[in-house]
Coordinates of all heavy atoms in Angstrom, one line a residue:
G33 N 72.1 85.1 -105.7 CA 71.2 84.9 -106.8 C 71.1 83.5 -107.3 O 70.0 83.0 -107.7
L34 N 72.3 82.8 -107.4 CA 72.3 81.4 -107.8 C 71.5 80.5 -106.8 O 70.8 79.6 -107.2 CB 73.7 80.9 -107.9 CG 74.5 81.7 -109.0 CD1 76.0 81.2 -109.0 CD2 73.9 81.4 -110.4
A35 N 71.6 80.9 -105.5 CA 70.8 80.1 -104.5 C 69.3 80.3 -104.7 O 68.6 79.3 -104.6 CB 71.3 80.5 -103.1
I36 N 68.9 81.5 -105.0 CA 67.5 81.8 -105.2 C 67.0 80.9 -106.4 O 66.0 80.2 -106.3 CB 67.2 83.3 -105.4 CG1 67.5 84.0 -104.1 CG2 65.8 83.5 -105.9 CD1 67.5 85.5 -104.3
K37 N 67.8 81.0 -107.5 CA 67.4 80.3 -108.7 C 67.3 78.8 -108.4 O 66.4 78.1 -108.9 CB 68.4 80.6 -109.8 CG 68.2 82.0 -110.4 CD 69.3 82.4 -111.4 CE 69.9 81.4 -112.2 NZ 70.8 81.9 -113.2
S38 N 68.3 78.3 -107.7 CA 68.4 76.8 -107.4 C 67.2 76.4 -106.6 O 66.6 75.4 -106.8 CB 69.7 76.5 -106.8 OG 69.7 75.1 -106.4
L39 N 66.9 77.1 -105.5 CA 65.8 76.8 -104.6 C 64.5 76.9 -105.3 O 63.6 76.0 -105.1 CB 65.8 77.7 -103.4 CG 67.0 77.4 -102.4 CD1 67.2 78.6 -101.5 CD2 66.8 76.1 -101.6
L40 N 64.3 77.9 -106.2 CA 63.1 77.9 -107.0 C 62.9 76.7 -107.9 O 61.9 76.1 -107.9 CB 63.1 79.2 -107.8 CG 62.8 80.5 -107.1 CD1 63.2 81.7 -108.0 CD2 61.4 80.6 -106.5
T41 N 64.0 76.4 -108.6 CA 64.0 75.3 -109.6 C 63.7 74.0 -108.8 O 62.9 73.2 -109.3 CB 65.3 75.2 -110.3 OG1 65.5 76.5 -111.0 CG2 65.3 74.1 -111.3
D42 N 64.3 73.8 -107.7 CA 64.0 72.6 -106.9 C 62.6 72.4 -106.5 O 62.1 71.3 -106.3 CB 64.9 72.6 -105.6 CG 66.4 72.4 -105.9 OD1 66.8 72.1 -107.0 OD2 67.2 72.6 -104.9
E43 N 61.8 73.5 -106.4 CA 60.4 73.5 -106.1 C 59.5 73.5 -107.3 O 58.3 73.6 -107.2 CB 60.1 74.7 -105.1 CG 60.7 74.5 -103.8 CD 60.0 73.4 -102.9 OE1 58.8 73.3 -103.0 OE2 60.8 72.7 -102.3
G44 N 60.1 73.5 -108.5 CA 59.3 73.5 -109.7 C 58.9 74.8 -110.3 O 58.1 74.9 -111.1
H45 N 59.6 75.9 -109.8 CA 59.3 77.2 -110.2 C 60.3 77.7 -111.2 O 61.5 77.8 -110.9 CB 59.3 78.2 -109.1 CG 58.3 77.8 -108.0 ND1 57.0 77.7 -108.2 CD2 58.5 77.6 -106.6 CE1 56.4 77.3 -107.0 NE2 57.3 77.3 -106.1
P46 N 59.9 77.9 -112.5 CA 60.9 78.3 -113.5 C 61.4 79.7 -113.3 O 60.7 80.6 -112.8 CB 60.1 78.2 -114.8 CG 58.7 78.3 -114.4 CD 58.6 77.8 -113.0
C47 N 62.7 79.9 -113.7 CA 63.3 81.2 -113.6 C 63.0 81.9 -115.0 O 63.5 81.5 -116.0 CB 64.8 81.1 -113.4 SG 65.6 82.7 -113.2
A48 N 62.2 82.9 -114.9 CA 61.8 83.6 -116.1 C 62.8 84.7 -116.5 O 62.7 85.3 -117.6 CB 60.4 84.3 -115.9
G49 N 63.8 84.9 -115.7 CA 64.8 85.9 -116.0 C 65.7 86.1 -114.8 O 65.4 85.7 -113.7
Y50 N 66.9 86.5 -115.1 CA 67.9 86.7 -114.1 C 68.9 87.8 -114.5 O 69.4 87.8 -115.7 CB 68.7 85.4 -113.8 CG 70.0 85.6 -113.1 CD1 70.0 85.9 -111.7 CD2 71.2 85.4 -113.7 CE1 71.2 86.0 -111.0 CE2 72.4 85.5 -113.0 CZ 72.4 85.8 -111.6 OH 73.6 86.0 -110.9
R51 N 69.1 88.8 -113.7 CA 70.1 89.9 -114.0 C 70.8 90.4 -112.8 O 70.2 90.3 -111.7 CB 69.3 91.0 -114.7 CG 68.7 90.7 -116.0 CD 69.4 91.1 -117.2 NE 69.6 92.5 -117.3 CZ 68.6 93.3 -117.9 NH1 67.5 92.9 -118.3 NH2 68.9 94.6 -118.0
I52 N 71.9 90.9 -113.0 CA 72.7 91.6 -111.9 C 72.7 93.1 -112.3 O 73.0 93.4 -113.5 CB 74.1 91.0 -111.8 CG1 74.1 89.6 -111.4 CG2 74.9 91.8 -110.7 CD1 75.4 88.9 -111.4
V53 N 72.4 93.9 -111.3 CA 72.4 95.4 -111.6 C 73.2 96.1 -110.5 O 73.3 95.6 -109.4 CB 70.9 95.9 -111.6 CG1 70.3 95.7 -110.3 CG2 70.9 97.3 -112.1
K54 N 73.9 97.1 -110.9 CA 74.7 97.9 -110.0 C 73.7 98.6 -108.9 O 72.6 98.8 -109.2 CB 75.5 99.0 -110.7 CG 76.5 98.5 -111.6 CD 77.7 98.0 -110.9 CE 78.8 97.6 -111.8 NZ 79.7 96.6 -111.2
D55 N 74.2 98.9 -107.8 CA 73.4 99.5 -106.7 C 73.3 101.0 -107.0 O 73.8 101.9 -106.3 CB 74.1 99.3 -105.3 CG 73.1 99.4 -104.2 OD1 72.0 100.1 -104.4 OD2 73.3 98.9 -103.2
E56 N 72.6 101.3 -108.1 CA 72.3 102.7 -108.6 C 70.8 102.7 -108.7 O 70.2 102.0 -109.5 CB 72.9 103.0 -109.9 CG 74.4 103.0 -109.9 CD 75.0 104.2 -109.2 OE1 74.2 105.2 -109.0 OE2 76.2 104.2 -108.9
P57 N 70.1 103.6 -107.9 CA 68.7 103.6 -107.9 C 68.0 103.6 -109.3 O 67.0 102.9 -109.5 CB 68.3 104.8 -107.0 CG 69.5 104.9 -106.1 CD 70.7 104.5 -106.9
A58 N 68.5 104.5 -110.2 CA 67.9 104.6 -111.5 C 68.0 103.3 -112.3 O 67.1 102.8 -112.9 CB 68.5 105.7 -112.3
Q59 N 69.1 102.6 -112.1 CA 69.3 101.3 -112.8 C 68.4 100.2 -112.2 O 67.9 99.4 -112.9 CB 70.8 100.9 -112.8 CG 71.7 101.7 -113.6 CD 73.1 101.3 -113.6 OE1 73.4 100.1 -113.4 NE2 74.1 102.2 -113.7
I60 N 68.4 100.2 -110.9 CA 67.5 99.2 -110.2 C 66.1 99.4 -110.6 O 65.4 98.5 -111.0 CB 67.6 99.4 -108.7 CG1 69.0 99.1 -108.2 CG2 66.6 98.5 -108.0 CD1 69.3 99.5 -106.7
E61 N 65.6 100.7 -110.6 CA 64.2 100.9 -111.0 C 63.9 100.6 -112.4 O 62.9 100.0 -112.7 CB 63.9 102.4 -110.7 CG 62.4 102.7 -110.9 CD 62.0 104.0 -110.2 OE1 62.9 104.8 -109.7 OE2 60.8 104.3 -110.3
A62 N 64.8 100.9 -113.3 CA 64.6 100.5 -114.7 C 64.5 99.0 -114.9 O 63.6 98.5 -115.6 CB 65.7 101.1 -115.6
L63 N 65.4 98.3 -114.2 CA 65.3 96.8 -114.4 C 64.0 96.2 -113.7 O 63.4 95.4 -114.3 CB 66.5 96.2 -113.8 CG 66.6 94.6 -113.8 CD1 66.4 94.1 -115.2 CD2 67.9 94.1 -113.2
L64 N 63.7 96.7 -112.6 CA 62.4 96.2 -111.9 C 61.2 96.6 -112.8 O 60.3 95.7 -113.0 CB 62.3 96.8 -110.5 CG 63.3 96.3 -109.5 CD1 63.1 96.9 -108.1 CD2 63.3 94.8 -109.4
N65 N 61.2 97.8 -113.3 CA 60.0 98.1 -114.2 C 60.0 97.2 -115.5 O 58.9 96.8 -115.9 CB 60.1 99.6 -114.7 CG 59.7 100.5 -113.6 OD1 58.7 100.2 -112.9 ND2 60.3 101.7 -113.5
E66 N 61.2 96.9 -116.0 CA 61.3 96.0 -117.1 C 60.7 94.6 -116.7 O 60.0 93.9 -117.5 CB 62.7 95.9 -117.6 CG 63.0 94.9 -118.8 CD 64.5 94.8 -119.1 OE1 65.2 95.9 -119.0 OE2 64.9 93.7 -119.4
A67 N 61.2 94.1 -115.6 CA 60.7 92.7 -115.1 C 59.3 92.7 -114.8 O 58.6 91.7 -115.1 CB 61.6 92.3 -113.9
L68 N 58.7 93.7 -114.2 CA 57.3 93.8 -113.8 C 56.3 93.8 -114.9 O 55.2 93.5 -114.7 CB 57.1 94.9 -112.8 CG 57.7 94.8 -111.4 CD1 57.7 96.1 -110.7 CD2 57.1 93.7 -110.6
V69 N 56.7 94.3 -116.1 CA 55.8 94.3 -117.2 C 55.8 93.1 -118.1 O 55.0 92.9 -119.0 CB 56.0 95.6 -118.1 CG1 55.8 96.8 -117.2 CG2 57.3 95.6 -118.7
Q70 N 56.7 92.2 -117.8 CA 56.8 91.0 -118.6 C 55.6 90.0 -118.3 O 55.4 89.7 -117.2 CB 58.1 90.2 -118.4 CG 59.3 91.0 -118.9 CD 60.6 90.2 -118.7 OE1 60.6 89.0 -118.6 NE2 61.7 90.9 -118.7
P71 N 54.9 89.6 -119.4 CA 53.7 88.8 -119.1 C 54.1 87.4 -118.6 O 53.2 86.7 -118.0 CB 53.1 88.7 -120.5 CG 54.1 89.1 -121.5 CD 55.1 90.0 -120.8
N72 N 55.3 86.9 -118.8 CA 55.7 85.6 -118.4 C 56.3 85.6 -117.0 O 56.9 84.6 -116.6 CB 56.7 85.0 -119.4 CG 58.0 85.7 -119.4 OD1 58.1 86.9 -119.2 ND2 59.1 84.9 -119.6
V73 N 56.1 86.7 -116.2 CA 56.6 86.8 -114.8 C 55.5 86.9 -113.9 O 54.6 87.7 -114.0 CB 57.6 88.0 -114.7 CG1 58.0 88.3 -113.3 CG2 58.8 87.8 -115.6
D74 N 55.5 86.1 -112.8 CA 54.5 86.2 -111.7 C 55.1 86.9 -110.5 O 54.3 87.5 -109.7 CB 54.1 84.7 -111.3 CG 53.4 83.9 -112.4 OD1 52.5 84.5 -113.0 OD2 53.9 82.8 -112.6
A75 N 56.4 86.8 -110.3 CA 57.0 87.3 -109.1 C 58.4 87.8 -109.4 O 59.1 87.2 -110.3 CB 57.0 86.3 -108.0
V76 N 58.9 88.8 -108.8 CA 60.2 89.3 -108.9 C 60.9 89.2 -107.5 O 60.3 89.8 -106.5 CB 60.3 90.8 -109.4 CG1 61.7 91.3 -109.5 CG2 59.6 90.9 -110.8
I77 N 62.0 88.6 -107.4 CA 62.7 88.4 -106.2 C 64.1 89.1 -106.3 O 64.9 88.8 -107.2 CB 62.9 87.0 -105.8 CG1 61.6 86.2 -105.7 CG2 63.7 86.9 -104.5 CD1 61.7 84.7 -105.4
V78 N 64.3 90.1 -105.5 CA 65.5 91.0 -105.5 C 66.3 90.6 -104.3 O 65.8 90.4 -103.2 CB 65.1 92.5 -105.5 CG1 66.4 93.3 -105.6 CG2 64.1 92.8 -106.6
N79 N 67.6 90.6 -104.5 CA 68.5 90.4 -103.3 C 69.6 91.5 -103.4 O 70.1 91.8 -104.5 CB 69.1 89.0 -103.2 CG 70.2 88.7 -104.1 OD1 71.3 88.8 -103.8 ND2 69.8 88.3 -105.3
G80 N 69.9 92.0 -102.2 CA 71.0 93.0 -102.2 C 70.5 94.4 -102.0 O 69.4 94.8 -102.4
G81 N 71.4 95.3 -101.4 CA 71.1 96.7 -101.3 C 70.0 97.1 -100.3 O 69.5 98.2 -100.4
T82 N 69.7 96.2 -99.3 CA 68.7 96.5 -98.4 C 69.2 97.0 -97.0 O 68.3 97.3 -96.1 CB 67.8 95.2 -98.1 OG1 68.6 94.2 -97.5 CG2 67.2 94.7 -99.4
G83 N 70.5 97.2 -96.9 CA 71.0 97.7 -95.6 C 70.9 99.2 -95.5 O 70.2 99.8 -96.2
I84 N 71.8 99.7 -94.6 CA 71.8 101.2 -94.4 C 73.1 101.8 -94.8 O 73.3 103.0 -94.5 CB 71.5 101.5 -92.9 CG1 72.5 100.9 -92.0 CG2 70.1 101.1 -92.6 CD1 72.4 101.3 -90.5
A85 N 74.0 101.1 -95.5 CA 75.2 101.6 -96.0 C 74.9 102.7 -97.1 O 73.8 102.7 -97.7 CB 76.1 100.6 -96.7
P86 N 75.8 103.7 -97.3 CA 75.5 104.8 -98.2 C 75.1 104.3 -99.6 O 74.3 104.9 -100.3 CB 76.8 105.5 -98.3 CG 77.4 105.3 -96.9 CD 77.1 103.9 -96.6
R87 N 75.6 103.2 -100.1 CA 75.3 102.7 -101.4 C 74.0 101.8 -101.5 O 73.6 101.5 -102.6 CB 76.4 101.8 -102.0 CG 77.7 102.6 -102.2 CD 77.8 103.3 -103.5 NE 77.6 102.5 -104.7 CZ 77.0 102.9 -105.8 NH1 76.6 104.1 -105.9 NH2 76.9 102.1 -106.8
D88 N 73.4 101.5 -100.4 CA 72.2 100.6 -100.3 C 71.0 101.4 -100.8 O 70.5 102.2 -100.0 CB 72.0 100.0 -99.0 CG 73.0 99.0 -98.6 OD1 73.6 98.4 -99.5 OD2 73.3 98.8 -97.4
G89 N 70.5 101.2 -102.0 CA 69.4 102.0 -102.5 C 68.2 101.1 -102.9 O 67.2 101.7 -103.3
T90 N 68.3 99.8 -102.7 CA 67.2 99.0 -103.2 C 65.9 99.2 -102.5 O 64.8 99.3 -103.1 CB 67.6 97.5 -103.0 OG1 68.8 97.2 -103.7 CG2 66.5 96.6 -103.5
Y91 N 65.9 99.4 -101.2 CA 64.7 99.6 -100.4 C 63.9 100.8 -100.8 O 62.7 100.7 -101.0 CB 65.0 99.7 -98.9 CG 63.8 99.9 -98.0 CD1 63.0 98.9 -97.7 CD2 63.5 101.2 -97.6 CE1 61.9 99.1 -96.9 CE2 62.3 101.4 -96.9 CZ 61.5 100.4 -96.5 OH 60.4 100.6 -95.8
E92 N 64.6 101.9 -101.1 CA 63.8 103.1 -101.5 C 63.1 102.8 -102.8 O 62.0 103.3 -103.0 CB 64.8 104.3 -101.6 CG 65.2 104.8 -100.2 CD 66.2 103.9 -99.5 OE1 66.9 103.1 -100.1 OE2 66.2 104.1 -98.2
V93 N 63.8 102.2 -103.8 CA 63.2 101.9 -105.1 C 62.0 101.0 -104.9 O 60.9 101.2 -105.4 CB 64.2 101.3 -106.1 CG1 63.6 100.9 -107.3 CG2 65.3 102.3 -106.3
V94 N 62.2 99.8 -104.2 CA 61.1 98.9 -104.0 C 60.0 99.5 -103.3 O 58.8 99.3 -103.7 CB 61.7 97.6 -103.3 CG1 60.5 96.7 -102.8 CG2 62.6 96.8 -104.1
S95 N 60.2 100.3 -102.3 CA 59.1 100.9 -101.6 C 58.3 101.8 -102.5 O 57.0 101.9 -102.3 CB 59.7 101.8 -100.4 OG 60.2 100.9 -99.4
R96 N 58.9 102.5 -103.4 CA 58.1 103.4 -104.3 C 57.3 102.6 -105.2 O 56.2 103.0 -105.6 CB 59.1 104.2 -105.2 CG 59.6 105.4 -104.5 CD 60.3 106.4 -105.4 NE 61.3 105.9 -106.3 CZ 62.6 105.8 -105.9 NH1 63.0 106.3 -104.8 NH2 63.5 105.3 -106.7
L97 N 57.7 101.4 -105.6 CA 57.0 100.5 -106.6 C 55.9 99.7 -105.9 O 54.9 99.4 -106.6 CB 58.0 99.5 -107.2 CG 59.0 100.2 -108.2 CD1 60.0 99.1 -108.7 CD2 58.3 100.9 -109.3
L98 N 56.0 99.4 -104.6 CA 55.0 98.6 -104.0 C 53.6 99.3 -103.9 O 53.5 100.4 -103.4 CB 55.4 98.2 -102.6 CG 56.6 97.2 -102.5 CD1 56.9 96.9 -101.0 CD2 56.2 95.9 -103.2
E99 N 52.6 98.6 -104.3 CA 51.2 99.1 -104.3 C 50.5 98.7 -103.0 O 49.8 99.4 -102.4 CB 50.5 98.7 -105.5 CG 51.1 99.3 -106.8 CD 50.8 98.6 -108.1 OE1 50.1 97.5 -108.0 OE2 51.3 99.0 -109.1
K100 N 50.7 97.4 -102.7 CA 50.2 96.8 -101.5 C 51.3 96.2 -100.7 O 51.9 95.2 -101.3 CB 49.1 95.8 -101.8 CG 47.8 96.3 -102.3 CD 46.7 95.3 -102.5 CE 45.5 95.9 -103.0 NZ 44.4 94.9 -103.1
K101 N 51.6 96.7 -99.6 CA 52.8 96.1 -98.8 C 52.4 95.0 -97.9 O 51.3 95.0 -97.4 CB 53.4 97.2 -98.0 CG 54.0 98.4 -98.8 CD 54.6 99.4 -97.9 CE 55.2 100.5 -98.8 NZ 55.9 101.6 -98.1
L102 N 53.2 94.0 -97.9 CA 53.0 92.8 -97.0 C 54.0 93.1 -95.8 O 55.1 92.5 -95.7 CB 53.4 91.5 -97.7 CG 52.4 91.2 -98.8 CD1 52.9 89.9 -99.6 CD2 51.0 90.9 -98.3
D103 N 53.6 93.9 -94.9 CA 54.4 94.3 -93.8 C 54.9 93.1 -93.0 O 56.0 93.1 -92.4 CB 53.7 95.3 -92.8 CG 53.4 96.6 -93.5 OD1 54.2 97.1 -94.4 OD2 52.3 97.2 -93.3
G104 N 54.0 92.1 -92.8 CA 54.4 90.9 -92.1 C 55.6 90.2 -92.6 O 56.4 89.6 -91.8
F105 N 55.9 90.3 -93.9 CA 57.0 89.7 -94.5 C 58.3 90.2 -93.8 O 59.1 89.4 -93.3 CB 57.1 89.8 -96.0 CG 58.3 89.2 -96.6 CD1 58.3 87.9 -97.0 CD2 59.5 90.0 -96.8 CE1 59.5 87.3 -97.5 CE2 60.6 89.4 -97.3 CZ 60.6 88.1 -97.7
G106 N 58.5 91.5 -93.8 CA 59.7 92.1 -93.3 C 59.8 91.9 -91.8 O 60.9 91.6 -91.2
E107 N 58.6 92.0 -91.1 CA 58.6 91.8 -89.6 C 59.0 90.3 -89.3 O 59.9 90.1 -88.4 CB 57.2 92.0 -89.1 CG 56.8 93.5 -89.2 CD 55.3 93.7 -89.1 OE1 54.5 92.7 -88.9 OE2 54.9 94.9 -89.1
I108 N 58.5 89.3 -89.9 CA 58.8 88.0 -89.6 C 60.2 87.6 -90.1 O 61.0 86.9 -89.4 CB 57.8 87.0 -90.2 CG1 56.4 87.2 -89.6 CG2 58.2 85.5 -90.1 CD1 55.3 86.4 -90.2
F109 N 60.6 88.2 -91.2 CA 62.0 88.0 -91.7 C 63.0 88.5 -90.6 O 64.0 87.8 -90.3 CB 62.3 88.6 -93.0 CG 63.7 88.5 -93.4 CD1 64.2 87.3 -93.9 CD2 64.6 89.5 -93.2 CE1 65.5 87.1 -94.2 CE2 65.9 89.4 -93.5 CZ 66.4 88.2 -94.0
R110 N 62.8 89.7 -90.1 CA 63.7 90.2 -89.1 C 63.7 89.4 -87.8 O 64.7 89.2 -87.2 CB 63.4 91.7 -88.9 CG 63.9 92.6 -90.0 CD 63.6 94.1 -89.7 NE 62.3 94.4 -90.0 CZ 61.8 94.6 -91.2 NH1 62.5 94.5 -92.3 NH2 60.5 94.9 -91.4
Y111 N 62.5 88.9 -87.5 CA 62.4 88.1 -86.3 C 63.2 86.8 -86.5 O 64.0 86.4 -85.6 CB 61.0 87.7 -85.9 CG 60.8 86.7 -84.9 CD1 61.1 87.0 -83.5 CD2 60.5 85.4 -85.2 CE1 61.0 86.0 -82.6 CE2 60.4 84.4 -84.2 CZ 60.7 84.7 -82.9 OH 60.6 83.7 -81.9
L112 N 63.0 86.1 -87.6 CA 63.8 84.9 -87.9 C 65.3 85.2 -88.0 O 66.1 84.4 -87.5 CB 63.3 84.3 -89.2 CG 61.9 83.7 -89.2 CD1 61.4 83.3 -90.6 CD2 61.8 82.5 -88.2
S113 N 65.6 86.3 -88.6 CA 67.0 86.7 -88.6 C 67.6 87.0 -87.2 O 68.7 86.6 -87.0 CB 67.2 88.0 -89.5 OG 66.9 87.8 -90.8
Y114 N 66.8 87.6 -86.4 CA 67.3 87.8 -85.0 C 67.6 86.5 -84.3 O 68.6 86.5 -83.6 CB 66.2 88.6 -84.3 CG 66.5 88.8 -82.8 CD1 67.4 89.8 -82.4 CD2 65.9 88.0 -81.8 CE1 67.7 89.9 -81.0 CE2 66.2 88.1 -80.5 CZ 67.1 89.1 -80.1 OH 67.4 89.2 -78.8
L115 N 66.8 85.5 -84.5 CA 67.0 84.2 -83.9 C 68.4 83.6 -84.4 O 69.0 82.9 -83.7 CB 65.9 83.2 -84.2 CG 64.5 83.6 -83.6 CD1 63.5 82.6 -84.0 CD2 64.6 83.7 -82.1
D116 N 68.7 84.0 -85.6 CA 69.9 83.5 -86.3 C 71.2 84.3 -86.0 O 72.2 83.8 -85.7 CB 69.7 83.4 -87.8 CG 70.7 82.6 -88.6 OD1 71.3 81.7 -88.0 OD2 71.0 83.1 -89.7
I117 N 71.1 85.7 -86.2 CA 72.2 86.5 -86.1 C 72.2 87.5 -85.0 O 73.1 88.3 -84.8 CB 72.5 87.3 -87.5 CG1 71.3 88.2 -87.8 CG2 72.7 86.3 -88.6 CD1 71.6 89.2 -88.9

Side-chain angles (χ1 to χ4, degrees):
L34 296 174
I36 294 169
K37 289 172 32 178
S38 176
L39 289 163
L40 288 168
T41 302
D42 290 349
E43 290 290 318
H45 304 301
C47 186
Y50 165 70
R51 297 261 293 277
I52 299 172
V53 64
K54 295 285 184 205
D55 203 337
E56 294 289 343
Q59 291 180 31
I60 297 166
E61 188 163 2
L63 178 54
L64 292 181
N65 282 323
E66 179 185 321
L68 289 166
V69 298
Q70 292 185 22
N72 68 325
V73 170
D74 299 308
V76 178
I77 302 173
V78 183
N79 77 93
T82 62
I84 60 171
R87 295 275 306 148
D88 290 333
T90 303
Y91 178 80
E92 286 73 21
V93 173
V94 168
S95 290
R96 281 195 304 271
L97 294 174
L98 290 177
E99 296 155 359
K100 291 185 180 182
K101 294 180 180 181
L102 295 173
D103 295 324
F105 178 87
E107 294 163 357
I108 294 171
F109 175 79
R110 281 181 285 282
Y111 170 73
L112 293 171
S113 293
Y114 174 78
L115 296 176
D116 189 36
I117 65 169

